[in-house]
Amino acid sequence: MELAIKIFQFILSISILVVLHELGHFLPAKWFKTKVEKFYLFFDPWFSIAKKKIGETEYGIGWLPFGGYVKIAGMVDESMDTEQLKQPAQPWEFRAKPAWQRLIIMLGGVTVNFFLAWLIYSCLSLFNGEMYTDLTKFDNGIGVTEAGKKMGFQSGDKIISIDGKPAERLENSAINILFSDQVTVLRNGKEATFKVNEDGVADVIKQREAKLYITPRIPMIIDSLATPSSKASGLAKGDRIVAINGKSTPFFDEVSSTLAENKGKTVSIDVTRGAERQTISAPVDKNGKLGIAVDQKSLASVVTDKKYSFGESIPRGLERTIEALTMQVKQFKIMFNSKIQGYKNVGGPIAIVKSMPVNKAADGSFAINWPAFWSFTAMFSIWLAFLNLIPIPGLDGGHVIFTLYEIIFGKPVPQKVLENAQMIGVIFLLGLMLLIFGSDIFKIFTGKL
């Protein structure tokens, strides 16, 4: 049931984005009296699931859920139908329209994607507000993993700024640091600025802990005991762990790292219970866990729940859209970095489906997490806008480059060049799609997904 809901969410999100993106091409084409032969949700090689012709346009649903398309008369597109291009240009064809009209038609899809994300983020800010882990409330600083230490951080640091910009939200900052050049922290009462070590970033990416390498440094107060061994050990709710095997561990990150060093062993734990201090022996499992949960009040103390009025939500929606777009651009910095090798962790449709959020009820049933769904859809809308603007033949960005060339130099790119470039682009994109999909399948069989 959980998988079915995740698949449904993915298909629903993609359907919304594809239909609206293609409408962004379709509507200006109609406004400029350009003939649109097909409007398809998903691709339809060999056959389609459904189709119906209304007026001059065939509307349909393909079986391959990797996007969609509008087929505009007189345009070299992914269909590679060049027969009509051998005939003289007709007034209703794309190639007969002025360059500025063709440019608007080509940019219509990414424009819709941008404004859709803005609308969704504005609505989320207005109706749900934003709950985030507030770095300004980290009285004890941060806890860091070994990868975080390799990047240059130390436990107890208080993050002040990233590339000169104030750091406020842990969720955003943890990602931004991976793409940054330098970070400023408050360390032992003094400001320290350091360059982020790429070796540490590579470890974070490889270990898939992009949001876990820095955590709030909170007291280790037990909230609940989840396993029979933890219950039998003598530990109790409300106990505050202060040392393990004689080593001072007053904070959550210190407890976690010390337990990881003692996998499968029995450790001596010093706790304060009320005004008393007690020593308790407890077994650590093979994963370095005691089977306990940290007190939620400690976590809640560093969380901010911010609300927005209607007037505030609109500029905040734009700000979130630009933040998401900037994040997509920055990802390319580490994706093609030879040391970090972020391209090895790129996920395809299967990885996306597995990451789709769902709500689990007390009775074990699953339901859609609608705020998370819309947040994903907004982020993916920006991703599609950015991806489509890459100047690769076969994408909107490729068509835009050729049209801009015509506007700047006053003459169109030769038809044969357009056809060859489109063919190369389509082959490249199909190969990339197969590579990403194949990577997902490989990761499933190797247990990495």
Side-chain angles (χ1 to χ4, degrees), residues 24-264:
H25 296 306
F26 178 85
L27 293 177
K30 286 294 189 180
W31 290 333
F32 296 134
K33 302 187 185 305
T34 310
K35 182 179 179 180
V36 180
E37 298 173 349
K38 288 186 175 184
F39 186 117
Y40 262 74
L41 169 63
F42 306 148
F43 294 116
D44 61 327
W46 303 296
F47 69 94
S48 57
I49 295 175
K51 62 181 178 180
K52 182 177 179 61
K53 190 165 186 177
I54 302 175
E56 63 183 14
T57 306
E58 177 183 298
Y59 300 86
I61 301 176
W63 60 271
L64 192 60
F66 288 148
Y69 69 97
V70 287
K71 188 175 186 305
I72 301 175
M75 176 181 174
V76 180
D77 58 15
E78 58 272 7
S79 69
M80 296 309 298
D81 181 7
T82 59
E83 285 303 313
Q84 63 177 317
L85 302 180
K86 296 177 182 179
Q87 307 299 321
Q90 301 299 317
W92 62 81
E93 290 186 333
F94 179 81
R95 56 179 169 155
K97 302 300 178 182
W100 68 269
Q101 291 186 4
R102 284 183 273 129
L103 187 62
I104 290 174
I105 293 172
M106 282 298 96
L107 289 174
V110 297
T111 302
V112 168
N113 282 136
F114 182 86
F115 281 98
L116 175 63
W118 184 358
L119 174 64
I120 293 174
Y121 279 134
S122 296
C123 290
L124 286 172
S125 297
L126 176 62
F127 296 111
N128 296 92
E130 294 180 56
M131 187 174 289
Y132 59 90
T133 310
D134 195 336
L135 285 169
T136 64
K137 294 182 178 180
F138 284 24
D139 295 334
N140 301 304
I142 60 172
V144 293
T145 63
E146 289 304 313
K149 292 177 182 177
K150 188 182 289 188
M151 289 171 67
F153 291 100
Q154 294 180 14
S155 291
D157 284 349
K158 293 183 179 180
I159 302 174
I160 298 174
S161 65
I162 303 167
D163 285 338
K165 297 180 180 179
E168 180 185 9
R169 305 175 184 224
L170 175 63
E171 292 80 2
N172 293 345
S173 297
I175 302 298
N176 285 332
I177 288 168
L178 300 178
F179 311 133
S180 68
D181 291 320
Q182 61 182 27
V183 177
T184 299
V185 301
L186 187 65
R187 179 177 297 168
N188 300 323
K190 297 180 181 179
E191 285 194 12
T193 299
F194 60 89
K195 183 176 177 60
V196 178
N197 188 307
E198 288 187 345
D199 291 329
V201 175
D203 285 353
V204 168
I205 299 297
K206 291 174 184 176
Q207 295 165 17
R208 296 179 178 273
E209 55 175 35
K211 296 182 180 180
L212 300 173
Y213 69 95
I214 53 175
T215 57
R217 208 168 198 220
I218 56 177
M220 187 59 210
I221 301 173
I222 297 176
D223 179 68
S224 60
L225 307 170
T227 62
S229 60
S230 64
K231 293 176 182 177
S233 66
L235 293 170
K237 179 178 180 177
D239 284 351
R240 178 169 180 168
I241 298 177
V242 294
I244 298 176
N245 289 344
K247 177 183 177 182
S248 179
T249 57
F251 298 113
F252 174 80
D253 62 295
E254 295 173 322
V255 171
S256 296
S257 60
T258 303
L259 292 177
E261 295 169 358
N262 291 276
K263 295 178 182 179

Side-chain angles (χ1 to χ4, degrees), residues 314-351:
I314 296 174
R316 177 55 187 158
L318 177 59
E319 187 178 11
R320 293 176 71 177
T321 302
I322 294 173
E323 286 174 356
L325 179 58
T326 303
M327 192 74 70
Q328 303 302 340
V329 176
K330 285 182 175 179
Q331 283 185 6
F332 273 71
K333 178 180 177 180
I334 64 172
M335 186 176 296
F336 299 107
N337 185 297
S338 59
K339 182 180 290 187
I340 298 173
Q341 298 181 335
Y343 59 87
K344 291 185 177 180
N345 292 282
V346 173
I350 298 175

